[in-house]
Amino acid sequence: MRIGINVKVLVFILLLPICASGQAGEAWSLRRCINHARGHNLQVEYARVLLENTSIEFDRAKAQRLPSLDFSSTQGWGHQKRAEENGRMKSSSAYTGSYSLNGNMTLYQGRKLSTTVRQQELLKDAMAQDVFVAQNDIEIAVTKAYLQILYANETLKTDRQTQESSREQLTRSKALLDAGSISASDFAQMESQYSSDQYRVIQAENDLAFSKLQLKQLLELEPEEKFEVVFPELDESNVLVALPRLEDVYREALRLMPEMKSVQLNIESAILGEKIARGDYLPNVALSASVSTGHDSKGSGSCFSQMDDRLVENVGINITIPIANRKKARLSVSKARLQTEQARIDEQNIRKDLLQTVESLHQDVIAAQSRYSAANQRVKSTYTSYRQVQEEFNAGMKNPVDLLVEKNNYLSALQEQIQAKYQAILAFKLLNFYRNEPIDL
């Protein structure tokens, strides 16, 4: 039985690098890109560090309510000359030691300590929401970059098909030239068009490579890591979708988006800051206690007996009442009120930005869907016209100029269709994102 188990373990160990390499070479879907970026992007990592810092400040604020206890000790050696009765000077030296234990605890500070703890807790919660904001920002950026790759890839496929069609037309034109059906200038126009289509393919390949590079950089991948994406099939059902009401999306965005939660927590924190500032008007009460003792080599008795004889114990309550503090309290309250007002203005700006973003995305979807529907009709009509002229050209009834005009009209309609398609998909996905729906294809 043990031998069988060991064999299974050995097989698992041997297959583990193969499985790992297979997973590493797997194409990246949009969801996988988003999940990776939310966990590894540098901006997200930076936001997490800030969250850790605010957590430390929260712990520091709670610790201020605890008593403090300090121990101090001084060890020294002293030398001096003293006059004896006969008038002669005599050198004298002694070793001394002193010890003290001091404790202090704040009993009342105008409720500043408890309010500060609550304020730091709110700031920590606000920073946690800021981490979500950073993750959402990178998710939106990754989505845009991913769809840009899909757009570039579909454009490349169209351009390659166009290039192949141009090659066939060039071959047909050469046959017509040899037969004397077209002139040399007409053939030169076909050669020029074929060269232009070749250039379009090269440009499309570069656009696709650059789009992949941009997404790879957002994912913080190393240069040597291979990176390929999944190309899902997207059709009309992904474009012509029912739109949610603008008011519903905006209401959900105000309720769910982390930037709104963060700014609302900052307002609460600023209000507590006013209470903390008003605490400067109130007295402070603190409890203090101390124990001290010492010894020296010239003293009578042993070291421990001297320390026992010289033991001093103190306990007391310290009360500090502010009378005139150079307007410190008044200015602190005024500054805290301004910070609260600034936080409220920040909330208004966030609301305004969310409304503008949601309105723009909603209108982008409507416009892109309309353009896509119109482009579909235009693609059908221009393709029909292009095919008809192409047949007439092959029969020698049309010249190359007529063919190229119809071809360019068709390509223009096709490019508009592709562009509107991906603009509609992107805008719709982002619009639903503000309703807290995950982005996926």
Side-chain angles (χ1 to χ4, degrees):
M1 179 65 69
R2 178 173 294 275
I3 295 176
I5 295 176
N6 291 339
V7 170
K8 292 180 180 179
V9 173
L10 180 60
V11 172
F12 172 77
I13 295 175
L14 292 174
L15 291 179
L16 183 61
I18 300 176
C19 297
S21 61
Q23 184 176 3
E26 183 182 352
W28 290 66
S29 65
L30 174 58
R31 194 65 242 173
R32 181 185 176 189
C33 290
I34 290 174
N35 292 337
H36 181 87
R38 289 178 71 96
H40 298 84
N41 183 264
L42 292 181
Q43 295 300 321
V44 176
E45 291 295 328
Y46 184 75
R48 289 198 181 104
V49 171
L50 293 180
L51 175 59
E52 289 295 326
N53 185 61
T54 54
S55 298
I56 292 174
E57 293 300 323
F58 175 53
D59 293 337
R60 188 199 304 274
K62 291 191 296 183
Q64 295 302 311
R65 297 183 295 187
L66 302 176
S68 63
L69 184 64
D70 302 315
F71 172 78
S72 63
S73 174
T74 302
Q75 305 295 318
W77 178 83
H79 173 268
Q80 64 177 352
K81 290 183 177 182
R82 293 186 299 178
E84 296 183 340
E85 293 180 356
N86 56 11
R88 298 180 61 182
M89 302 298 294
K90 182 179 179 180
S91 296
S92 175
S93 61
Y95 172 78
T96 61
S98 62
Y99 310 91
S100 64
L101 191 65
N102 300 285
N104 189 281
M105 181 177 181
T106 300
L107 300 178
Y108 180 77
Q109 203 179 29
R111 300 185 61 84
K112 292 174 66 175
L113 292 180
S114 58
T115 307
T116 300
V117 170
R118 177 55 182 158
Q119 183 189 46
Q120 289 299 326
E121 184 178 15
L122 289 174
L123 291 175
K124 185 186 73 169
D125 294 341
M127 184 53 64
Q129 295 300 321
D130 289 341
V131 173
F132 292 136
V133 171
Q135 290 179 328
N136 286 351
D137 290 342
I138 193 61
E139 182 165 349
I140 291 174
V142 167
T143 301
K144 290 180 178 180
Y146 196 96
L147 285 175
Q148 181 63 34
I149 291 176
L150 300 186
Y151 168 73
N153 181 67
E154 189 160 341
T155 300
L156 176 59
K157 290 194 297 185
T158 301
D159 290 342
R160 283 174 173 169
Q161 293 172 357
T162 302
Q163 181 189 18
E164 180 62 23
S165 175
S166 292
R167 187 187 64 80
E168 294 175 356
Q169 291 173 357
L170 184 62
T171 302
R172 177 58 181 167
S173 298
K174 184 65 169 64
L176 293 175
L177 176 66
D178 294 340
S181 300
I182 62 173
S183 64
S185 61
D186 291 338
F187 180 74
Q189 287 183 331
M190 299 302 295
E191 283 185 317
S192 176
Q193 182 63 40
Y194 179 66
S195 299
S196 297
D197 292 337
Q198 283 183 313
Y199 176 80
R200 285 165 60 99
V201 169
I202 295 173
Q203 184 64 39
E205 290 173 344
N206 291 334
D207 291 342
L208 178 59
F210 183 72
S211 298
K212 288 183 178 179
L213 176 61
Q214 286 184 313
L215 179 56
K216 187 177 180 181
Q217 291 172 344
L218 286 175
L219 299 179
E220 308 290 349
L221 298 179
E222 296 297 329
E224 63 273 9
E225 292 187 58
K226 294 183 179 180
F227 180 69
E228 293 296 334
V229 302
V230 176
F231 294 100
E233 292 295 331
L234 302 176
D235 53 24
E236 188 173 294
S237 62
N238 301 105
V239 181
L240 302 179
V241 291
L243 275 179
R245 294 175 65 249
L246 174 61
E247 296 79 3
D248 295 338
V249 178
Y250 180 56
R251 184 169 54 252
E252 289 296 295
L254 291 179
R255 186 175 66 89
L256 299 172
M257 285 294 102
E259 48 263 52
M260 279 302 303
K261 296 179 180 179
S262 175
V263 75
Q264 289 167 355
L265 290 170
N266 285 331
I267 291 176
E268 295 182 37
S269 172
I271 293 174
L272 291 180
E274 293 185 40
K275 295 182 179 180
I276 294 172
R278 283 195 292 269
D280 290 337
Y281 288 115
L282 302 176
N284 297 333
V285 181
L287 175 67
S288 62
S290 66
V291 178
S292 62
T293 186
H295 64 83
D296 65 74
S297 59
K298 292 296 184 179
S300 60
S302 66
C303 172
F304 293 104
S305 63
Q306 291 183 46
M307 293 175 63
D308 183 62
D309 294 337
R310 301 178 185 182
L311 184 65
V312 178
E313 299 172 321
N314 290 303
V315 63
I317 294 180
N318 303 322
I319 301 177
T320 304
I321 301 176
I323 298 176
N325 53 12
R326 303 185 185 92
K327 297 184 178 181
K328 175 185 176 182
R330 183 183 302 176
L331 294 176
S332 296
V333 171
S334 299
K335 184 176 181 180
R337 286 174 179 170
L338 290 176
Q339 290 176 340
T340 302
E341 185 64 24
Q342 181 179 350
R344 296 186 190 280
I345 294 174
D346 289 340
E347 183 193 24
Q348 294 176 4
N349 284 330
I350 294 295
R351 287 176 176 271
K352 180 180 177 181
D353 292 342
L354 278 177
L355 178 59
Q356 291 178 345
T357 300
V358 170
E359 284 181 330
S360 298
L361 289 173
H362 195 271
Q363 185 58 39
D364 287 345
V365 177
I366 294 175
Q369 286 180 342
S370 300
R371 288 171 48 207
Y372 179 79
S373 298
N376 277 345
Q377 297 299 323
R378 185 168 175 236
V379 166
K380 292 177 182 178
S381 60
T382 54
Y383 178 74
T384 301
S385 177
Y386 170 55
R387 294 299 299 174
Q388 181 177 354
V389 172
Q390 188 176 35
E391 292 175 0
E392 293 176 354
F393 172 78
N394 293 337
M397 300 172 60
K398 291 287 186 179
N399 59 45
V401 175
D402 296 330
L403 177 64
L404 295 180
V405 168
E406 294 300 326
K407 176 183 178 181
N408 290 332
N409 288 338
Y410 169 66
L411 292 179
S412 175
L414 197 59
Q415 188 64 30
E416 175 65 21
Q417 181 194 48
I418 297 173
Q419 189 177 36
K421 171 184 175 181
Y422 285 100
Q423 285 181 346
I425 294 174
L426 174 62
F428 181 74
K429 292 296 181 181
L430 295 183
L431 186 66
N432 279 339
F433 179 72
Y434 283 91
R435 301 171 63 195
N436 204 32
E437 294 186 9
I439 299 177
D440 202 357
L441 291 176

